[in-house]
């Protein structure tokens, strides 16, 4: 099979990674597109001796040589970015979210394996410091919902409720101060977590993380895709790290002044 065909299935996940890294869907997609165009033009070669997925992520980093990320958020996000080296966040995302081994992450980032371990721990601690929020979980499988609830609570966050259907999700959102939504896409009564999220987003700009066993339904490349996506089955550190990255960039809108 041609090398290009081997890397193609990994491109949607590269976009997911870049979106988490930049905190913005448009910015993340742009650096992926630039890396792929550089490879095609021969400006930044892709290492065909590496496994296709490793070579693709390494291509992104070889082409996008930035020491800092321009945050999508406001002043608070900018201040947080000054405290955490970009490579530390990259090491955390590659290992905890993308599931690379420490060895592969070291190859992608062109650092030592010891550096990867140290940087990931440094990033997680800095990101979690002071970032606590109120979470709505939309999940119809009781065991999975309990697992997510435990991970969220262990991170110091408050769970406002667990919804099993689209209507339950909207009702819980409207009766609680929700600052983050974790949503499955298939719900108990045949309703859609995507529809529930769209109902919620019609009322506010609360950040959403989709957690699904069917990522291909969302990572199509042919329509607007979610900025934040976790694939089932998941590791606890993946959920914790993704929540941290979302909160790292997100700043709630200022309340409207009283009339």
């Amino acid at each position: 099979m041609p090398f290009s065909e081997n890397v193609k299935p990994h491109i949607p996940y590269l976009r997911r990674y870049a979106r988490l890294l930049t905190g913005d869907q448009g910015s993340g997609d742009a650096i992926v597109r630039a890396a792929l165009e550089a490879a095609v033009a021969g400006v930044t070669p892709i290492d065909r001796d590496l496994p296709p997925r490793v070579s693709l992520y390494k291509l992104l980093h070889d082409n996008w040589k930035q020491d800092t990320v321009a945050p999508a958020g406001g002043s608070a996000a900018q201040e947080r970015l000054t405290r955490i080296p970009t490579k530390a966040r990259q090491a955390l995302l590659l290992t905890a979210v993308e599931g690379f081994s420490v060895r592969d992450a070291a190859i992608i980032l062109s650092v030592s394996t010891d550096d990867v371990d140290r940087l990931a721990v440094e990033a997680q601690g800095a990101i979690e410091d002071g970032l606590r929020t109120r979470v709505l979980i939309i999940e119809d499988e009781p065991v999975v919902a309990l697992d997510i609830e435990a991970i969220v609570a262990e991170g110091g966050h408050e769970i406002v409720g667990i919804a099993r259907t689209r209507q339950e999700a909207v009702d819980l959102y409207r009766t609680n101060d929700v600052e983050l939504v974790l949503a499955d896409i298939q719900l108990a009564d045949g309703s859609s977590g995507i529809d529930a999220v769209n109902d919620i987003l019609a009322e506010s700009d609360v950040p959403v993380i989709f957690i699904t066993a069917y990522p291909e339904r969302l990572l199509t490349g042919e329509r607007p895709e979610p900025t934040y996506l976790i694939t089932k089955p998941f590791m606890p550190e993946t959920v914790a790290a993704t929540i941290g990255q979302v909160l790292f960039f997100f700043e709630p809108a200022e309340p409207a002044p009283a009339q």
Side-chain angles (χ1 to χ4, degrees):
M1 181 181 294
F3 189 81
S4 60
E5 291 300 314
N6 287 329
V7 300
K8 189 178 296 183
H10 305 297
I11 292 175
Y13 299 96
L14 184 68
R15 291 200 302 269
R16 175 185 68 178
Y17 168 68
R19 292 167 184 174
L20 270 176
L21 182 61
T22 61
D24 179 73
Q25 182 167 335
S27 299
D29 290 353
I31 64 173
V32 170
R33 183 168 57 252
L36 295 175
E37 290 173 350
V40 170
V43 175
T44 306
I46 189 166
D47 192 336
R48 297 171 184 265
D49 293 329
L50 294 171
R53 185 164 180 255
V54 176
S55 67
L56 189 61
Y57 280 68
K58 182 170 174 54
L59 169 68
L60 178 74
H61 283 283
D62 287 348
N63 187 71
W64 188 58
K65 295 176 180 176
Q66 286 191 226
D67 294 327
T68 59
V69 176
S75 59
Q78 292 170 351
E79 190 277 329
R80 287 192 288 269
L81 276 172
T82 64
R83 304 198 316 260
I84 307 174
T86 299
K87 261 197 168 41
R89 291 186 56 246
Q90 293 167 350
L92 176 63
L93 287 173
L94 288 170
T95 54
V97 177
E98 299 302 318
F100 284 104
S101 67
V102 171
R103 177 180 177 276
D104 285 345
I107 292 172
I108 292 168
L109 296 177
S110 300
V111 299
S112 71
T113 54
D114 288 343
D115 283 339
V116 170
D117 283 330
R118 174 183 55 79
L119 289 167
V121 170
E122 175 186 347
Q124 188 65 44
I127 288 170
E128 290 179 350
D129 184 25
L131 294 180
R132 302 291 181 265
T133 197
R134 295 168 55 82
V135 181
L136 169 62
I137 298 170
I138 307 174
E139 172 59 65
D140 69 319
E141 297 182 37
V143 173
V144 176
L146 288 173
D147 283 344
I148 296 173
E149 182 180 25
I151 296 166
V152 171
E154 187 173 340
H157 309 291
E158 179 183 348
I159 297 92
V160 303
I162 299 175
R164 300 180 66 250
T165 68
R166 174 183 181 178
Q167 191 58 54
E168 285 180 12
V170 174
D171 290 344
L172 278 170
Y173 172 77
R174 288 174 175 167
T175 55
N176 292 275
D177 179 18
V178 177
E179 297 172 312
L180 175 66
V181 176
L182 303 181
D184 191 5
I185 64 173
Q186 281 193 318
L187 302 179
D189 61 350
S191 60
S192 166
I194 298 173
D195 291 336
V197 165
N198 285 336
D199 291 342
I200 291 170
L201 292 179
E203 300 183 16
S204 80
D205 63 347
V206 62
V208 178
I209 301 172
F210 282 101
I211 303 179
T212 177
Y214 307 99
E216 66 279 358
R217 297 185 184 179
L218 296 174
L219 294 175
T220 63
E222 299 174 354
R223 60 181 181 181
E225 297 176 334
T227 302
Y228 308 112
L229 177 67
I230 295 172
T231 303
K232 294 179 180 177
F234 52 79
M235 298 293 288
E237 54 266 31
T238 301
V239 178
T242 303
I243 291 174
Q245 297 295 323
V246 173
L247 298 180
F248 185 80
F249 282 105
F250 183 74
E251 294 182 56
E254 293 291 333
Q259 298 295 320

